[in-house]
């Protein structure tokens, strides 16, 4: 269902050049053919990476707890729960599948408008595909995913990106609702007026507190909440339920004025370069199973390791300097027991286990590894500091880091990086596909693994996206118990 733009509030006439109006007009008029092939290919591979993360996340201990609770609340339903051979309601499936993708810190992130796009966009679209009255083609799905991948980071940049983390908000779950609403709205064929309602409904459902990173399971679920809420926003708007008009411009109770209060939000970021600069191409595919701010320190540590082997017994001290946003997101005094979520958010733990194992992937953040004595023996020799100089230069410079390793023989090696390697040299499609295969090798059988990859890489030729959900539905094996 589509409708005309609702009548403007006579007291506050709509400005057709304002960000909300410009964005809604673009969303309604966008066609897949408007995007260059590079952006479309990145969207395909971002989708494949999100699927890999969902398969890893599906049978994690906290995911099992979530599935049990949500299915008891929502019922059996007809919407696929990835990796379970089970189904639930559309909102329940969006919530769970988003929680799976974000379930082990393996999923993508945008470095300037920090959110995990696949964990928001894909689950909402999957639920919309399965409730659609007619088959949804791969081209329509890709078109909808692309607008979701564009909208979320732009709203995040309007709030100055990682500044939200410094203030204690879980950034992506705050502005992720708009990404899901835009994606599902595109799939539903909303016009500009209904898109305005959908974005207003999305903004009023935004939330997420970063204290969830320490020990709570719910950090895994924040982006799932956004996927569910964005799905609801678009479906409500399609049905004629109205949302906040000019949600980004409202001075009282608007999205930017409220979440950006006292921090000079920049609404122009929402439409700056819209349709010419493609944010999907700036979304980073993670090479490590840790929060994005830890990647540059890990890269710097491994750079030092290429100069001299890193042996824990020979290390006197490791010092790491980072920006304010990364420091407050990734450093606090650790105590045993440490949960996997805490380990994946903590710079010191990640550096310690990387020294010991030469890696920072799934095995390094499993509960048994986290509680190992060799990790806790090295941790007291690691210090992380906030360097105010690293805050200069705005959003693009907040990934700067300096890592120094002092060895017991007196040698001191230092590496400074402006950003992580994955930001500076984005992975190719083949490298992303290799990550997908590595993550899923032991969790699903080879024919299924290959069929998923073929379908996603050939999305443009798919006639019915329910074929993908059929491949994602059967049970997956557990990454660990």
């Amino acid at each position: 269902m589509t409708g005309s733009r609702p009548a403007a509030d006579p007291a506050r006439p709509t400005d057709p050049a304002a960000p909300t109006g410009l964005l809604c007009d673009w969303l309604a008029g966008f066609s897949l053919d408007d995007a260059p092939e590079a952006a479309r290919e990145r969207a395909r591979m971002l989708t494949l990476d999100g699927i890999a993360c969902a398969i890893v996340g599906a049978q994690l201990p906290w995911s099992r707890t979530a599935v049990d609770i949500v299915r008891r609340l929502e019922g059996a339903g007809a919407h696929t729960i990835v990796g379970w051979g089970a189904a639930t309601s559309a909102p329940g499936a969006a919530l769970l599948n988003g929680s799976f993708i974000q379930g082990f810190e393996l999923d993508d992130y945008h470095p300037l408008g920090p959110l995990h796009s696949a964990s928001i966009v894909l689950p909402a679209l999957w639920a919309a595909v399965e409730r659609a009255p007619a088959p949804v083609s791969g081209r329509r799905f890709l078109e909808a995913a692309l607008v979701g991948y564009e909208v979320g980071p732009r709203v995040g940049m309007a709030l100055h990106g990682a500044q939200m983390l410094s203030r204690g908000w879980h950034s992506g779950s705050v502005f992720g609702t708009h990404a899901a609403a835009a994606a599902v709205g595109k799939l539903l064929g909303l016009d500009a007026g209904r898109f305005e309602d959908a974005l207003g409904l999305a903004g009023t459902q935004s939330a997420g507190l970063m204290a969830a990173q320490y020990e709570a399971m719910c950090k895994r679920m924040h982006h799932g909440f956004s996927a569910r809420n964005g799905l609801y926003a678009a479906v409500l708007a399609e049905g004629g339920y109205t949302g906040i008009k000019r949600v980004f411009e409202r001075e009282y109770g608007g999205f930017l004025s409220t979440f950006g209060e006292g921090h000079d939000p920049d609404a122009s970021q929402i439409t700056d370069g819209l349709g010419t600069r493609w944010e999907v191409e700036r979304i980073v595919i993670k090479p490590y199973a840790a929060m994005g701010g830890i990647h540059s320190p890990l890269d710097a540590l491994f750079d030092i390791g290429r100069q001299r082997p890193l042996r824990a017994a020979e290390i006197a001290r490791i010092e790491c300097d980072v920006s304010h946003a990364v420091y407050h997101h990734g450093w606090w005094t650790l105590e045993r027991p440490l949960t996997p979520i805490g380990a994946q958010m903590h710079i010191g733990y990640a550096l310690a286990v990387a020294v010991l194992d030469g890696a920072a992937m799934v095995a390094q953040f499993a509960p048994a590894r986290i509680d190992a004595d060799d990790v806790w023996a090295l941790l007291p020799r690691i210090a992380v500091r906030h360097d105010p100089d690293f805050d200069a230069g705005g959003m693009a410079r907040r990934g700067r880091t300096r890592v120094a390793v002092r060895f017991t023989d007196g040698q001191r090696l230092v590496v400074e990086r402006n950003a992580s390697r994955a930001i500076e040299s984005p992975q190719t499609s083949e490298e992303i596909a290799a990550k997908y295969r590595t993550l899923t090798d032991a969790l699903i059988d080879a024919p299924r693994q290959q069929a998923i990859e073929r379908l996603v890489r050939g999305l443009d030729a798919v006639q019915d996206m329910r074929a993908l959900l059929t491949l994602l539905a059967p049970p997956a094996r557990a990454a660990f118990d």
Side-chain angles (χ1 to χ4, degrees):
M1 174 181 176
T2 60
S4 60
R5 183 185 290 274
D9 178 353
R12 293 176 180 269
T14 299
D15 179 358
T20 302
L22 288 170
L23 178 60
C24 292
D25 287 339
W26 181 81
L27 288 170
F30 173 75
S31 165
L32 184 61
D33 293 331
D34 296 335
E37 174 56 25
R40 286 182 276 174
E41 175 63 5
R42 194 66 173 179
R44 294 183 198 102
M45 299 314 296
L46 182 54
T47 299
L48 184 65
D49 187 69
I51 288 169
C53 297
I55 290 169
V56 171
Q59 295 291 341
L60 294 172
W62 43 91
S63 297
R64 292 173 180 168
T65 299
V67 170
D68 179 59
I69 296 167
V70 171
R71 289 191 76 208
R72 279 191 277 119
L73 177 65
E74 295 282 349
H79 294 264
T80 298
I81 303 173
V82 173
W84 271 80
T88 188
S89 68
L95 172 62
L96 289 171
N97 292 330
S99 301
F100 297 168
I101 297 175
Q102 236 278 285
F104 207 65
E105 291 298 323
L106 285 161
D107 55 327
D108 65 88
Y109 70 98
H110 190 288
L112 304 183
L115 80 165
H116 307 282
S117 295
S119 65
I120 297 164
V121 170
L122 294 181
L125 284 178
W126 291 338
V129 163
E130 291 190 308
R131 71 177 290 276
V136 174
S137 70
R139 280 184 59 84
R140 280 186 62 207
F141 182 90
L142 188 61
E143 181 179 82
L146 256 172
V147 300
Y149 295 152
E150 289 301 305
V151 168
R154 290 173 176 279
V155 178
M157 289 188 290
L159 289 169
H160 304 299
Q163 187 185 97
M164 293 293 286
L165 297 172
S166 293
R167 296 170 56 206
W169 290 106
H170 190 180
S171 55
S173 62
V174 169
F175 37 82
T177 52
H178 298 97
V184 175
K186 191 64 185 177
L187 199 70
L188 297 177
L190 302 189
D191 69 3
R194 292 290 185 244
F195 266 119
E196 186 170 18
D197 286 322
L199 293 177
L201 288 160
T204 205
Q205 297 181 84
S206 294
L209 298 174
M210 206 56 252
Q213 73 180 33
Y214 298 116
E215 64 277 306
M217 290 180 181
C218 67
K219 195 270 180 186
R220 315 288 192 182
M221 194 172 273
H222 281 181
H223 283 61
F225 288 142
S226 287
R228 179 199 63 190
N229 294 349
L231 170 68
Y232 253 121
V235 171
L236 285 167
E238 180 199 29
Y241 200 85
T242 60
I244 299 167
K245 306 300 188 291
R246 305 183 301 286
V247 67
F248 299 120
E249 293 89 77
R250 291 282 192 185
E251 292 182 5
Y252 173 71
F255 182 81
L256 296 180
S257 62
T258 300
F259 283 107
E261 184 177 12
H263 294 267
D264 299 317
D266 181 5
S268 70
Q269 293 292 322
I270 294 172
T271 55
D272 181 54
L274 186 63
T276 57
R277 186 188 70 241
W278 297 90
E279 295 304 326
V280 68
E281 297 184 51
R282 299 207 281 189
I283 294 174
V284 176
I285 304 297
K286 283 188 177 181
Y288 307 121
M291 73 98 165
I294 300 178
H295 290 206
S296 188
L298 283 169
D299 285 339
L301 181 73
F302 289 135
D303 287 343
I304 291 172
R306 281 183 275 275
Q307 299 177 51
R308 172 174 173 169
L310 297 172
R311 300 185 180 96
E314 297 175 3
I315 293 175
R317 188 168 177 80
I318 298 174
E319 296 174 335
C320 178
D321 295 291
V322 294
S323 69
H324 183 275
V326 175
Y327 179 81
H328 284 276
H329 197 26
W331 182 252
W332 64 94
T333 301
L334 288 184
E335 295 180 359
R336 278 169 138 167
L338 176 65
T339 61
I341 183 61
Q344 291 177 302
M345 308 304 289
H346 197 273
I347 303 167
Y349 175 85
L351 293 178
V353 78
V355 166
L356 294 163
D357 294 2
M361 281 299 279
V362 176
Q364 282 67 52
F365 297 94
R369 187 68 187 105
I370 293 170
D371 197 43
D373 290 339
D374 59 345
V375 175
W376 291 88
L378 182 54
L379 273 168
R381 288 175 266 161
I382 299 174
V384 178
R385 302 173 300 213
H386 167 218
D387 186 336
D389 289 344
F390 290 175
D391 299 331
M395 290 184 287
R397 300 287 286 169
R398 290 186 185 132
R400 295 168 66 191
T401 193
R402 181 189 306 110
V403 173
V405 179
R406 181 164 56 83
F407 295 89
T408 54
D409 62 7
Q411 184 182 24
R412 185 172 184 269
L413 297 177
V414 182
V415 167
E416 187 166 333
R417 298 191 62 88
N418 288 322
S420 72
R421 189 167 285 108
I423 293 174
E424 293 175 339
S425 302
Q427 297 98 317
T428 65
S429 293
E430 287 307 316
E431 289 170 331
I432 298 167
K435 176 189 171 185
Y436 159 79
R437 295 176 208 127
T438 298
L439 289 177
T440 59
D441 266 341
L443 307 184
I444 58 176
D445 61 67
R448 179 180 170 196
Q449 180 193 57
Q450 293 160 12
I452 291 170
E453 182 178 346
R454 281 195 304 271
L455 189 152
V456 174
R457 299 189 75 172
L459 265 182
D460 301 56
V462 174
Q463 297 302 307
D464 186 348
M465 285 298 295
R466 285 174 295 195
L468 175 62
L469 276 302
T470 299
L471 289 168
L472 297 182
R477 292 182 281 276
F480 58 78
D481 291 308

